Amino acid sequence: MMKNLMYLFLWLFCVKASAQDITINPDSAVTTRHQVNIKGQRVSFTATTGTQPVWDKSGKVIASVFYTYYRRNDVTDTLHRPFVISFNGGPGAGALWMRLGYTGPHHVKVDKEGFPIQPYGIEDNPYSLLDVADIVYVEPVNTGFSRAMNDTPEADFFGVYKDVKYLADWLRTFVTRYNRWASPKYLVGESYGTTRVSGLALELQQRHWMYLNGVVLVSPTKLGIRRDGPVEGANMLPYYAAAAWYHKRLASDLQQKDLTEVLPEVENFTINELIPALTMGGFLEESKKNEMVTKIAHYAGISEKVVREHNLIIPPSFFWKELLRDRGYTIGRLDSRYLGIDRMDAGERPDYAPENTTWQHIFTPANAFYYTNYLNYHTDLEYYVAGNTRPWDREGENTEHTGEDLRQAMALNPYMHLLVQSGYYDGACDYFNAKYNMWQLDPSGKLRSRMDWKGYRSGHMMYLRHEDLIQANEDLREFIKNSIPAKGEPAMYKIDINTPR
């Protein structure tokens, strides 16, 4: 009764969102029941769609954070039921991408390669993770239907560690309300969401004593791990080779091989030859420079002349313009399988990102239809798909070091595991830099047995391609299974006295 009175009180004192002059309730929920077939099994579940407040230290509501929570109905044992907390990136991207594209029980209608088809709509996701884990998709302030409130400046939430701090507080409340403290817990983030969950992994442990079983980084950012100079200049080459292979721009000796045969060769060249050569800069011997020019052009599918003009380092934006310039097309940044048409073929960078506008075809209308017709959630607020969190503070206290945060969280918690998922054709958060993150995360090498990387034949949102949707969700299932300790297994490190120092 007291709980109902509290909600009534909040309803009567609804406050206005600062971004739109629409009265909203910061603490409300709508519940619907559904069924979906997952891997041949009928799964009944409850979807809870709503808002939960963010409070300041005095107890004043300063924001309303929107979420969509899917819970399987026929599982009552939450002690052992895994609980997944999912974030998108941007940092201003709504959760619709992962929710309707990857792990959720419903999926946008696309063709087998992930391209839009009409009429726009929603279908069951037979590969959803919901058969093995309950999932909440969280929308940070100014994404989705989440808003700052009571004249609280939006900038109070916009920054690497501002973001981490209030979301950790919010998650503590959510986990308490829905009785998930005992559940094995996982953070999943895509793109900037990987920055977010890497920081949250440590913040949740250090400030709220909430320990995780796993963190999943989907198309990760650089996590504050430095790679200046020669490393930064060299690390994009394996991605260039992947994109060139897809568009059949490589020489026959490479093109006739499978992608996964080509890439290890390019990675080996990058690590063992290109980085040392770039380290010499302008003092690199001319014969060695000529050798590097030939090999880079060979692996990137572009001319030696262009490589030489750029002093061996090809900027990504130029590559997206250059690879198919002679055919009159550009390639996508987030997914280089997509083609664009510019006003003119000349220039240093594409006019637009063709994959991004293509994805808007799919998700924006389908998402609006989904909330109204599936989840029975009605609001006059605009759903913020992306781009409403600028400027994002990355200086001073908000200077990013989330890679180190993640390392600390793993070191402090022997149960925590890491999975990294990357699309080979992602030029924004490329697969080789994702590997580099993992290699550099723990210089001691003592955590490597709890880290894994998986690659897929698509781009940033690898789950839009049908084969990758299946495989990526299977990889998540396997990760969850392997990161839950055996009954009675303690969270402790053991020294092998037979291992020499």
Side-chain angles (χ1 to χ4, degrees):
M1 182 68 177
M2 287 298 296
K3 185 176 181 181
N4 290 336
L5 287 173
M6 179 187 73
Y7 285 151
L8 177 61
F9 178 82
L10 283 166
W11 180 264
L12 292 172
F13 280 84
C14 286
V15 287
K16 291 187 177 181
S18 59
Q20 284 180 268
D21 191 22
I22 297 174
T23 300
I24 66 172
N25 184 356
D27 204 341
S28 64
V30 174
T31 300
T32 52
R33 295 177 70 89
H34 310 264
Q35 286 188 334
V36 63
N37 283 319
I38 301 176
K39 299 186 68 176
Q41 177 186 15
R42 198 68 173 166
V43 174
S44 173
F45 65 96
T46 297
T48 303
T49 311
T51 54
Q52 179 184 289
V54 176
W55 295 276
D56 67 11
K57 292 180 180 179
S58 68
K60 173 186 172 183
V61 175
I62 57 173
S64 171
V65 168
F66 183 73
Y67 65 91
T68 306
Y69 175 39
Y70 300 105
R71 180 181 59 82
R72 184 167 177 170
N73 292 333
D74 59 354
V75 178
T76 57
D77 179 14
T78 57
L79 287 175
H80 299 95
R81 174 75 170 167
F83 176 51
V84 170
I85 302 161
S86 180
F87 291 96
N88 269 95
L96 73 167
W97 310 104
M98 297 275 275
R99 175 169 38 78
L100 291 177
Y102 190 5
T103 50
H106 299 114
H107 195 272
V108 290
K109 290 182 178 179
V110 292
D111 74 359
K112 293 295 185 181
E113 290 298 310
F115 287 82
I117 55 176
Q118 286 190 335
Y120 304 120
I122 301 294
E123 59 190 6
D124 289 355
N125 181 5
Y127 316 107
S128 169
L129 199 61
L130 190 58
D131 60 332
V132 298
D134 297 332
I135 314 167
V136 62
Y137 299 87
V138 185
E139 319 250 6
V141 171
N142 265 31
T143 70
F145 296 125
S146 299
R147 300 290 190 273
M149 305 189 75
N150 281 327
D151 299 320
T152 305
E154 294 172 345
D156 287 1
F157 306 95
F158 298 169
V160 177
Y161 289 100
K162 294 176 185 177
D163 180 71
V164 165
K165 184 180 183 304
Y166 87 82
L167 286 173
D169 290 339
W170 188 92
L171 285 172
R172 176 195 55 77
T173 301
F174 188 91
V175 167
T176 300
R177 284 187 174 189
Y178 287 94
N179 194 26
R180 302 313 299 252
W181 273 98
S183 303
K185 287 178 281 297
Y186 297 84
L187 294 177
V188 179
E190 179 186 53
S191 196
Y192 185 86
T194 62
T195 298
R196 180 172 281 135
V197 300
S198 296
L200 277 169
L202 184 62
E203 182 77 4
L204 287 169
Q205 288 186 180
Q206 295 296 78
R207 294 194 69 251
H208 300 290
W209 304 101
M210 187 184 296
Y211 285 73
L212 307 170
N213 282 66
V215 173
V216 181
L217 308 180
V218 181
S219 305
T221 61
K222 296 178 180 179
L223 306 181
I225 296 172
R226 299 293 295 270
R227 61 202 79 202
D228 301 330
V231 172
E232 183 178 36
N235 273 10
M236 291 298 289
L237 183 61
Y239 150 72
Y240 293 162
W245 182 90
Y246 178 82
H247 290 290
K248 297 180 171 54
R249 301 297 280 180
L250 296 179
S252 60
D253 65 312
L254 295 174
Q255 198 66 58
Q256 67 185 356
K257 297 179 182 178
D258 185 70
L259 177 65
T260 54
E261 294 179 272
V262 172
L263 294 182
E265 179 181 334
V266 184
E267 292 176 22
N268 183 67
F269 167 74
T270 300
I271 295 168
N272 296 310
E273 297 186 55
L274 182 55
I275 291 175
L278 293 180
T279 301
M280 293 299 298
F283 284 76
L284 183 66
E285 293 181 3
E286 191 63 24
S287 61
K288 189 67 174 178
K289 184 175 183 178
N290 291 336
E291 180 186 342
M292 290 298 103
V293 165
T294 298
K295 288 187 175 181
I296 293 169
H298 186 62
Y299 289 134
I302 56 179
S303 72
E304 292 187 18
K305 177 177 182 292
V306 164
V307 175
R308 187 178 298 279
E309 289 172 347
H310 285 84
N311 295 325
L312 310 183
I313 299 175
I314 307 298
S317 57
F318 181 84
F319 179 79
W320 302 323
K321 181 79 173 182
E322 176 68 17
L323 183 66
L324 300 179
R325 192 192 298 268
D326 62 343
R327 297 182 183 178
Y329 290 97
T330 63
I331 62 172
R333 169 179 173 264
L334 292 163
D335 191 329
S336 293
R337 296 176 303 151
Y338 291 72
L339 301 180
I341 300 174
D342 282 358
R343 181 179 178 85
M344 59 183 182
D345 295 335
E348 296 292 310
R349 61 179 63 242
D351 292 349
Y352 66 101
E355 76 291 345
N356 201 35
T357 185
T358 301
W359 292 337
Q360 295 293 357
H361 274 273
I362 309 169
F363 280 88
T364 304
N367 185 63
F369 176 85
Y370 181 67
Y371 274 118
T372 301
N373 296 280
Y374 277 67
L375 302 185
N376 197 30
Y377 191 83
H378 302 274
T379 177
D380 289 327
L381 280 174
E382 177 185 358
Y383 185 96
Y384 285 165
V385 174
N388 293 282
T389 56
R390 296 188 180 94
W392 192 261
D393 188 3
R394 299 173 186 265
E395 298 180 349
E397 293 181 354
N398 284 286
T399 300
E400 184 184 348
H401 45 76
T402 56
E404 173 58 17
D405 296 339
L406 181 56
R407 186 205 66 79
Q408 286 188 48
M410 292 188 70
L412 292 167
N413 179 5
Y415 283 153
M416 187 187 293
H417 288 66
L418 173 67
L419 174 64
V420 182
Q421 296 183 304
S422 298
Y424 291 119
Y425 307 127
D426 182 358
C429 299
D430 66 286
Y431 90 90
F432 188 67
N433 269 298
K435 282 187 173 182
Y436 184 85
N437 278 348
M438 191 173 67
W439 297 336
Q440 299 301 313
L441 203 63
D442 172 42
S444 76
K446 295 183 178 69
L447 305 179
R448 64 185 294 179
S449 64
R450 288 187 273 147
M451 300 178 181
D452 197 11
W453 177 91
K454 300 290 185 182
Y456 308 91
R457 293 174 185 252
S458 44
H460 196 71
M461 297 198 291
M462 77 287 294
Y463 43 79
L464 290 184
R465 182 172 176 264
H466 186 73
E467 288 185 17
D468 293 329
L469 173 68
I470 298 171
Q471 186 59 54
N473 273 297
E474 280 302 302
D475 290 338
L476 288 177
R477 286 185 180 86
E478 189 70 16
F479 174 70
I480 289 173
K481 177 184 175 182
N482 293 337
S483 59
I484 295 178
K487 185 177 181 180
E489 180 182 340
M492 63 180 294
Y493 294 118
K494 298 178 182 178
I495 296 175
D496 184 352
I497 59 175
N498 297 314
T499 302
R501 295 188 62 183

